[in-house]
Amino acid sequence: MDHRAQEDVWLTAAECARRIGLTVRALRLYEDRGLITPRRTGKDWRLYGRTEIARLNEVLTLKGFGLSLSRIADLLKGRPVDLAKLLDMQREALADARDRAERALRGIEVARANLAAGATIGIDDLTNLARETAMRDPSRDTLAWRRYEQNRPRTEIAIDPALYADYVGAYELVDGAFYVIVHRDDGLFLRVVGEVEFQLFPEAVDRFFLKEMPAQVTFVRGADGSVASLVHHQHGTDTPGHRADPAAVERAAAVHRERVRSQVAMPGSETILRELIDGEISGRPLYERMAPFLAAIAREQIERGDRFFRNCGPLRRIAFRGVSQMGMDVYDVEFENLRTEWGFSRANNGKINGLYIRPGV
C-alpha cells in the first residue's frame, strides 16, 4: 500500500460519515464544538483528511468512556493528535472488552452445566452474569480517560522562580509514600523515599510534570494562600498528600537504607507474600491491602493473572532472595509447573505499594 498516497486522500462529509459509521449531523456537531476542523473547498464543501479522521478516533474513543463533548473539547484543546497514545488507549479498551467477554462466556458455560446437572443458579452468579453481559464498567472507563489525560504531551512554561519556595518540604501521601520537594539550581525536584530523584517542570502555576514518566504533581493552597498539600497524578489515579514532619520522613529513609544494607526482610514478609499468592491464584487479589493506584492496576490485570497462573499447579517452595534497591522484598516462588519471581513493598501505613510478578529462571 502506498502510505504517502493514503495521506493525500480527502473524504467528503458524507463519505467520512459512511466509512466511520456516523451521521453528517454528528460531524457538524463535532465541528461546532471545536473538536474537528475540516478543510473547506472553494465551494465551501467540507473535506476530511488523515488528521481530521485521527482526531475523530480520539473523540469517539473518549466519548465511549462516557465523557461529555465539552469535557472532550477541554481535554483536546490546543494539542495535536498523538497517534501512539491513542492507539495504546484503544488497545486497552479493546483488550478489556475481550477479557470481559471471555469471562462472561466462561460464566455462561458454567451456569449451563449447572442447569444441565439439575443444580440451581445462585443470586451471586446471576448478578455477576448480568454485570459481565452488560459489558460496561464505569470505573474502568474513568480510569482509562484519566490515564489518557495524564499520558498526553505536556508543555513546559516559565513561572516566577520565587514560587518554588512555596512548594518545598516533606509530604505524606494517603497511600503511605513520603515525598520530599527540594529547590536548587533554579529547578524543583521530587524525591520519593527509596527511589531516585526527579525534576519537576511547570505546566501551570502550582502544577508540574515529570519528563521521565507520565506523572504530574499539583500543589494545593489553603485559605491563607500557602501550599498545604499536593496531589500526585499517575496510573489513572489521583493520590493526595499532606505536609509531613521532616523528621518522620528521615526516619523512614533511614529504615529503607538499613534494610537495603542488611538485606533483611520486612517483619511478617513471607506471611504477606503467601496471602498475596493465594489472592492471585484464587482470582481475588488483596485490593483492600493495596495502595489505590496499585489496586487499580491489579483490577485491570486480573484476567492476565488468571491466564498466567491457570496451570501453575500446587505451590512447592518459597525462598527469600533479598531486598532490592527500591526496598522490595524479593522471593523465588516455585509451583509444580511454574517458576516465578515476586517482589513487593509496603508503605509507611502498611499498604502494599509495590508488586511485581515475573517468570523465574
Side-chain angles (χ1 to χ4, degrees), residues 15-22 27 53 56-57 60:
E15 179 68 7
C16 178
R18 184 185 65 79
R19 289 198 186 188
I20 295 177
L22 294 171
L27 292 178
I53 294 173
L56 281 169
N57 267 272
L60 295 174

Side-chain angles (χ1 to χ4, degrees), residues 1 74 92 105 110 149 182 218 234 263 305 308 317 327 353:
M1 180 182 291
D74 289 341
E92 288 185 16
L105 288 170
V110 170
E149 200 284 330
V182 297
T218 299
Q234 191 177 9
Q263 292 292 292
F308 188 75
R317 184 179 70 95
N353 64 347

Side-chain angles (χ1 to χ4, degrees), residues 87-104:
L87 292 173
D88 285 344
M89 183 173 65
Q90 290 177 320
R91 179 181 59 190
E92 288 185 16
L94 291 171
D96 178 65
R98 178 200 61 205
D99 291 344
R100 289 174 64 83
E102 290 176 353
R103 195 159 55 246

Side-chain angles (χ1 to χ4, degrees), residues 21-312:
L22 294 171
T23 64
V24 172
R25 182 178 179 182
L27 292 178
R28 296 284 177 86
L29 175 61
Y30 296 158
E31 183 180 352
D32 291 342
R33 294 296 185 94
L35 296 169
I36 54 174
T37 308
R39 177 179 292 190
R40 299 295 186 102
T41 68
K43 295 183 178 180
D44 207 31
W45 291 352
R46 293 169 175 82
L47 295 177
Y48 299 80
R50 178 178 178 275
T51 299
E52 290 73 31
I53 294 173
R55 179 65 89 191
L56 281 169
N57 267 272
E58 282 190 303
V59 171
L60 295 174
T61 301
L62 292 171
K63 192 169 179 285
F65 289 148
L67 273 68
S68 67
L69 292 183
S70 59
R71 182 69 185 93
I72 296 172
D74 289 341
L75 193 62
L76 301 182
K77 184 178 180 180
R79 68 174 185 82
V81 175
D82 187 330
L83 277 176
K85 294 288 192 306
L86 171 62
L87 292 173
D88 285 344
M89 183 173 65
Q90 290 177 320
R91 179 181 59 190
E92 288 185 16
L94 291 171
D96 178 65
R98 178 200 61 205
D99 291 344
R100 289 174 64 83
E102 290 176 353
R103 195 159 55 246
L105 288 170
R106 287 199 301 272
I108 289 170
E109 291 307 312
V110 170
R112 284 171 57 86
N114 288 339
L115 283 177
T120 59
I121 302 177
I123 190 169
D124 288 342
D125 292 332
L126 287 171
T127 54
N128 287 337
L129 280 173
R131 183 181 65 249
E132 297 294 354
T133 303
M135 298 298 290
R136 292 288 300 174
D137 187 342
S139 65
R140 291 194 181 191
D141 290 349
T142 299
L143 190 70
W145 80 256
R146 279 183 181 170
R147 184 184 296 115
Y148 180 73
E149 200 284 330
Q150 292 166 5
N151 287 2
R152 67 175 173 80
R154 330 301 286 201
T155 300
E156 181 183 359
I157 67 167
I159 65 172
D160 185 354
L163 291 172
Y164 287 162
D166 294 352
Y167 313 126
V168 170
Y171 299 82
E172 182 176 5
L173 274 63
V174 294
D175 63 11
F178 281 121
Y179 281 6
V180 178
I181 306 294
V182 297
H183 174 211
R184 69 168 186 276
D185 303 329
D186 296 325
L188 200 66
F189 295 83
L190 162 66
R191 184 173 73 252
V192 183
V193 170
E195 300 183 23
V196 297
E197 187 175 87
F198 300 97
Q199 185 170 359
L200 295 172
F201 300 89
E203 61 175 332
V205 172
D206 296 343
R207 187 175 177 93
F208 295 75
F209 66 97
L210 284 68
K211 291 184 177 180
E212 294 86 353
M213 64 185 72
Q216 301 84 43
V217 175
T218 299
F219 293 95
V220 182
R221 296 180 182 272
D224 62 356
S226 64
V227 174
S229 61
L230 59 75
V231 181
H232 180 91
H233 312 277
Q234 191 177 9
H235 303 303
T237 60
D238 301 316
T239 308
H242 296 276
R243 285 196 178 271
D245 179 3
V249 178
E250 182 49 42
R251 286 194 297 271
V255 169
H256 173 86
R257 290 192 297 269
E258 177 57 24
R259 289 191 62 246
V260 174
R261 186 198 67 78
S262 64
Q263 292 292 292
V264 174
M266 294 176 285
S269 178
E270 185 172 325
T271 299
I272 296 171
L273 176 63
R274 288 182 179 276
E275 292 172 350
L276 286 170
I277 292 171
D278 288 344
E280 293 292 336
I281 296 298
S282 66
R284 295 186 294 273
L286 306 180
Y287 300 130
E288 73 283 355
R289 301 274 296 276
M290 300 179 184
F293 77 89
L294 186 61
I297 295 172
R299 285 189 174 92
E300 284 194 319
Q301 297 180 348
I302 185 171
E303 184 70 19
R304 299 170 200 171
D306 286 348
R307 289 196 292 267
F308 188 75
F309 292 111
R310 189 164 295 164
N311 300 307
C312 65

